[in-house]
Amino acid sequence: MALPPIQFDRATGALEGANAWERTAALALATGSKISSHFSHRGYIGCANLLRKTLPERNIAIKLNSDAVFEFPYGDGYWSKLLNRSYHYEDELELLFRDSADVDYTLLDCGANYGYWSVLVSSAPFGSHKAIAIEPASQNFPKLANNAEINGNRFALMKCAIGATRGTAFLSGTKHEAFSIVGGASSGGEEVPVIALDNLLDDGKISPDGKYLIKLDVEGVEVEAIKGGTRLLRSDSVLLCEEHGNDPNHTVSRYILEQTPLKLIVYDPRSNRLETVTELSILDRIKVSTHVGYNVFGTASPFWQNRINALNASAARRMQ
């Protein structure tokens, strides 16, 4: 019989249901995150996953806010940084999601993993938005479905990958946060269905006149996914996708800037603003760590451009 999940409240730091060794491990995981945050958490995942081998197999349920619980295997190297209460996961995305709480939009969470953003965006403090969590991996999907269930099944699930066209692909990789369909059939792996973003319109999953924030975390097929969303990306939508730190050519941003009608927007920590980019050299300064991803935004929507301008203005007022 599976052990019930350990409970951790990020607001208060309360840890419940853990034995003495599990409490010690929680302290180690949180401290390791604080220390490694000074060098972009380099080495953290490996160390956490080693520690995980000494722990009983059970989940931890993290209370992200008063209306959001996110559950994952205790000791998981990727997600255990959440035990560090000062850690913010992809804070430039949280900035936009928080500011958009009053907007009637739907989150398209492509490459949802265990559903962190779907859980958060559908919670009351973030505006109780609709979300569709899209995840192809059979290893990840039950954990995603569990997070939907423990949060009242308030977001929809789709088990497929995102690509340029509808079809099938082969999913490979060893890390749950980095499964990819890049390798093709020769890489082996799990055969998964693929849809294009525009197929969500074709299939009636979403409406052409809605507003959308599209989180695209598809591990190397971002450009193909963008090609498959031509109609959707002309609507009131913002594309939120990863520009990897180890790519000096800024491939994703270059494609958005040079091959699409979207304006390219990046978070600049120097100005603490979401800056519209016309020259890719700014990314040479922003992408300081080669082993992490940096989120870039693309939008052709005047509505969302105005929202981002207002967000920058309010951030500037707070800093005065």
Side-chain angles (χ1 to χ4, degrees), residues 162-221:
I162 299 293
T165 58
R166 202 190 300 267
T168 59
F170 289 86
L171 189 74
S172 59
T174 57
K175 299 176 180 178
H176 70 76
E177 69 273 17
F179 289 131
S180 176
I181 61 170
V182 168
S186 62
S187 63
E190 175 188 359
E191 187 173 2
V192 296
V194 179
I195 64 164
L197 286 170
D198 282 347
N199 294 148
L200 295 170
L201 294 168
D202 302 332
D203 298 346
K205 300 288 186 184
I206 58 174
S207 164
D209 57 0
K211 292 181 172 64
Y212 301 99
L213 293 179
I214 307 165
K215 174 73 173 79
L216 199 63
D217 190 357
V218 291
E219 301 299 333
V221 292

Side-chain angles (χ1 to χ4, degrees), residues 13 51 99-100 182 187 202 231 238-239:
L51 179 60
D99 189 69
S100 305
V182 168
S187 63
D202 302 332
R231 281 177 289 141
V238 184
L239 183 69

Side-chain angles (χ1 to χ4, degrees), residues 149-320:
E149 183 177 351
I150 64 176
N151 287 281
N153 290 309
R154 66 191 182 205
F155 55 89
L157 306 177
M158 294 180 66
K159 189 179 183 301
C160 56
I162 299 293
T165 58
R166 202 190 300 267
T168 59
F170 289 86
L171 189 74
S172 59
T174 57
K175 299 176 180 178
H176 70 76
E177 69 273 17
F179 289 131
S180 176
I181 61 170
V182 168
S186 62
S187 63
E190 175 188 359
E191 187 173 2
V192 296
V194 179
I195 64 164
L197 286 170
D198 282 347
N199 294 148
L200 295 170
L201 294 168
D202 302 332
D203 298 346
K205 300 288 186 184
I206 58 174
S207 164
D209 57 0
K211 292 181 172 64
Y212 301 99
L213 293 179
I214 307 165
K215 174 73 173 79
L216 199 63
D217 190 357
V218 291
E219 301 299 333
V221 292
E222 289 83 3
V223 169
E224 294 302 301
I226 294 167
K227 289 177 182 177
T230 306
R231 281 177 289 141
L232 180 58
L233 295 174
R234 282 199 296 260
S235 70
D236 272 335
S237 64
V238 184
L239 183 69
L240 320 168
C241 62
E242 189 173 78
E243 174 72 62
H244 207 282
N246 67 3
D247 177 11
N249 294 317
H250 318 311
T251 303
V252 176
S253 296
R254 188 177 301 279
Y255 184 81
I256 292 171
L257 192 62
E258 297 178 359
Q259 304 295 328
T260 78
L262 309 179
K263 289 191 182 303
L264 178 67
I265 298 165
V266 302
Y267 174 71
D268 186 351
R270 183 181 291 181
S271 64
N272 195 33
R273 288 167 50 90
L274 293 167
E275 302 284 7
T276 301
V277 173
T278 56
E279 174 51 59
L280 289 173
S281 60
I282 187 177
L283 290 169
D284 293 326
R285 172 169 60 78
I286 292 172
K287 289 164 61 175
V288 295
S289 180
T290 58
H291 72 287
V292 300
Y294 295 83
N295 285 296
V296 297
F297 303 166
T299 187
S301 162
F303 170 83
W304 284 111
Q305 289 173 46
N306 288 336
R307 288 290 302 201
I308 289 168
N309 290 337
L311 173 59
N312 284 331
S314 64
R317 285 194 296 272
R318 285 196 300 271
M319 292 178 69
Q320 288 173 353

Side-chain angles (χ1 to χ4, degrees), residues 121-134:
V121 161
S122 63
S123 72
F126 280 75
S128 301
H129 293 286
K130 295 177 185 175
I132 303 174
I134 303 170

